[in-house]
Amino acid sequence: MKLYCKVVALALCLGILLLLYLFVGDADEPPLKVAKGSPAALVPSGPGADAAPALRARFRAVPPAEEEEAAQVSRREPRLHRKPGKRSAPKRKFANARRPKDQKPSTVQFSSPQWMHLAVVACGDRLEETLIMLKSAVLFSNRKLKFHIFAEDSLKPEFEKKLQDWPLSYTKKFEHNVYPIAFSVGNAQEWKKLFKPCAAQRLFLPMILKDVDSLLYVDTDVLFLRPIDDIWGFLRAFNSTQLAAMAPEHEIPKIGWYSRFARHPYYGTTGVNSGVMLMNLTRIRNAQFKNSMIPTGLTWEEMLYPLYQKYKNYITWGDQDLLNIIFSFNPECLYLFPCQWNYRPDHCMYGSNCKGAEEEGISILHGNRGVYHDDKQPTFKALYEVIRDFSFEDNLFQSMYYPLQSKFLDTVHTLCGRIPQVFLKQIEKTMKRLYENRVVVHVGANFRL
Ligand SMILES: *[C@@H]1O[C@H](CO)[C@@H](O)[C@H](O)[C@H]1NC(C)=O
Ligand SMILES: *[C@@H]1O[C@H](CO)[C@@H](O)[C@H](O)[C@H]1NC(C)=O
C-alpha cells in the first residue's frame, strides 16, 4: 500500500510538470488567436487583470474556474488556459448535451448570470444527509447555485447555521433559501402522509417557485460525483415537447418493481425513478396534460389532486407513482436520461446492470433505502462518509480519493464492492479537472507576471 502511494505521488508530480511544460508551450501563442470572434476577446488582459483570479486561486481548494468573472464576461474564458487536447479526449456521447455553450457562445451569456437551481425537501432526520448532498453539489460544480430547501420549521435554524459555517470560498458559490412545507391544492395533511413525510412537496414546486425557469430536484440521499453543470446541460437537449427528465426505475424489466407489482399506469417498460428529476418549470406551468379523468387537457396544478384521489388506493411509492402515472399519459413530455445519472443499489446488488456507469462511471449516486446509514451496501456508505468527513480546505486526492480507495477494499465481499471502478471513474475525473484547473490557472497567472 505504501509503495502504491509513493507511485501515485510520483505520477502526480510528473503530471504537474507535464502540465507546466504544456502550458509554457501554449503561452507562446497569443490567447486572442484561440479566442478569435469569441467573447473572450473582450477580456482585459495584462498583469492587473490577472492578479485577482490568481490570488483567489491561492486561497481555495476549488478553482475559480467559472465564477463571477466568467458569468459576467464569458463562460469560455477560463477554458482558454487549458490544453485543448486534454479536454477533447474524454468527450463522450453526452458531451454535446452537457456543454452546448462551448460551441455556440450566445449573447444571453452576457446578460443572464445563469444560475443553476437545486431543490430538496428535507424532513425528519434528513438534515445531515441533505447537507452532505449540498456539500457534494458545491464542491464539484462550476456555475453558481441557488439552493431551494424545503424543510420542517424545526430544521430551518439548523440549516442556516450549518451552511453559514462553510468556508467563504464555498459559500460565495451559492445562495440558499429555506422554505416551509406547503401544499397549494387539496388537503395538506393528506399530502404529508403520502409516502415519506413531505415528499409530495416536490409536486408543487412549479406553483411555489413561480420565478424559477428550471430546476433540478433531488432526494436528500443523493450525492453528486461531478459538476451539476453537466446534468443541467440536459435541459438544452430537450425537444419541444419535453419538460422533465428522469432515469428509468430499473434496467431489467423482469426484475423491476413496476413491471411486476404496479397496479397503476407507469412510464415505459420499467417506470421512472424520481430521486433525480430535472424540470423545466416554465414548460410544466404552461403545458396541458393528457389524463385519465377528462378528455381535454389539464394544467399540472389542476391535475394533481384529482389524480391523487383517483389512484390513491393503488399507489405504493407516493409522489413517484403519481409522476409515473402522469408521464405514462404524456410520454412525449419526458426526457429519459441514462442510469449513471441516478445510480442506486439496484444497479449492482444483483450484479452490475447499468451499462452507462460501467462505461463512464457514476455521475450521480442515489443511496436509497437508507444505505448510507446501515451496513447493507458498504460501497455506498463509503462514498457518503468520505464526502461527509472531507474538510473543505483539504486536498481532494489526499483527503477524499485515497480514503475512498482504502474503504473500498473492505467492500469487495459485496456485489457492488466488486466494481469499484464504476464508483471511482467519474469522481476521479471530476477531481482531476478541478485540480488541473487550479494548477493551470495558478501557474498561468504566475507565468504572465
Ligand atoms: C424552458 O422552457 C422555456 C419555454 O420553452 C424556454 O424559454 C427556456 O429557455 C427553457 N429553459 C431552459 C433552461 O432550457
Ligand atoms: C420528443 O422526444 C420524445 C421522447 O423521445 C418523443 O416521444 C416526442 O415525440 C418528441 N417530440 C417531438 C416534438 O419531436
Side-chain angles (χ1 to χ4, degrees), residues 276-330:
V276 180
M277 182 180 182
L278 198 56
M279 290 181 265
N280 183 320
L281 298 179
T282 307
R283 290 186 179 187
I284 292 178
R285 283 186 290 260
N286 292 336
Q288 294 282 323
F289 292 87
K290 287 175 255 139
N291 60 81
S292 56
M293 297 161 300
I294 58 166
T296 58
L298 288 173
T299 66
W300 185 267
E301 180 166 19
E302 290 164 349
M303 173 178 58
L304 284 182
Y305 197 66
L307 205 65
Y308 167 67
Q309 284 298 335
K310 174 162 179 181
Y311 290 102
K312 68 176 175 185
N313 295 323
Y314 303 94
I315 61 185
T316 311
W317 304 108
D319 54 336
Q320 173 170 305
D321 292 346
L322 281 182
L323 289 166
N324 266 290
I325 294 169
I326 293 171
F327 288 108
S328 76
F329 297 129
N330 301 271

Side-chain angles (χ1 to χ4, degrees), residues 128-146:
E128 183 197 58
E129 199 174 82
T130 307
L131 285 163
I132 311 297
M133 179 277 289
L134 296 173
K135 183 177 180 181
S136 71
V138 83
L139 272 179
F140 301 132
S141 295
N142 298 315
R143 253 181 293 162
K144 283 205 186 185
L145 286 160
K146 281 220 168 103

Side-chain angles (χ1 to χ4, degrees), residues 79 100-101 243 273 321 413:
R79 297 190 187 288
K101 295 279 147 116
L243 44 75
N273 183 283
D321 292 346
H413 60 285

Side-chain angles (χ1 to χ4, degrees), residues 295-417:
T296 58
L298 288 173
T299 66
W300 185 267
E301 180 166 19
E302 290 164 349
M303 173 178 58
L304 284 182
Y305 197 66
L307 205 65
Y308 167 67
Q309 284 298 335
K310 174 162 179 181
Y311 290 102
K312 68 176 175 185
N313 295 323
Y314 303 94
I315 61 185
T316 311
W317 304 108
D319 54 336
Q320 173 170 305
D321 292 346
L322 281 182
L323 289 166
N324 266 290
I325 294 169
I326 293 171
F327 288 108
S328 76
F329 297 129
N330 301 271
E332 72 284 0
C333 296
L334 190 72
Y335 181 104
L336 205 62
F337 51 66
C339 46
Q340 64 268 33
W341 295 93
N342 182 350
Y343 191 93
R344 281 156 280 130
D346 272 352
H347 291 120
C348 54
M349 61 192 282
Y350 320 105
S352 175
N353 60 38
C354 174
K355 265 219 122 42
E358 286 169 16
E359 283 160 13
E360 56 177 79
I362 299 168
S363 298
I364 298 181
L365 191 77
H366 182 183
N368 63 357
R369 305 197 196 124
V371 293
Y372 298 144
H373 312 293
D374 60 26
D375 294 314
K376 293 200 177 110
Q377 297 299 338
T379 326
F380 283 74
K381 191 178 186 181
L383 257 160
Y384 179 77
E385 289 180 347
V386 295
I387 297 179
R388 180 193 64 194
D389 298 341
F390 177 74
S391 107
F392 285 93
E393 316 284 9
D394 281 347
N395 177 297
L396 281 169
F397 281 97
Q398 245 162 42
S399 311
M400 194 182 293
Y401 193 66
Y402 300 144
L404 194 57
Q405 281 187 322
S406 60
K407 270 181 195 260
F408 276 2
L409 290 178
D410 301 331
T411 72
V412 289
H413 60 285
T414 66
L415 277 173
C416 294

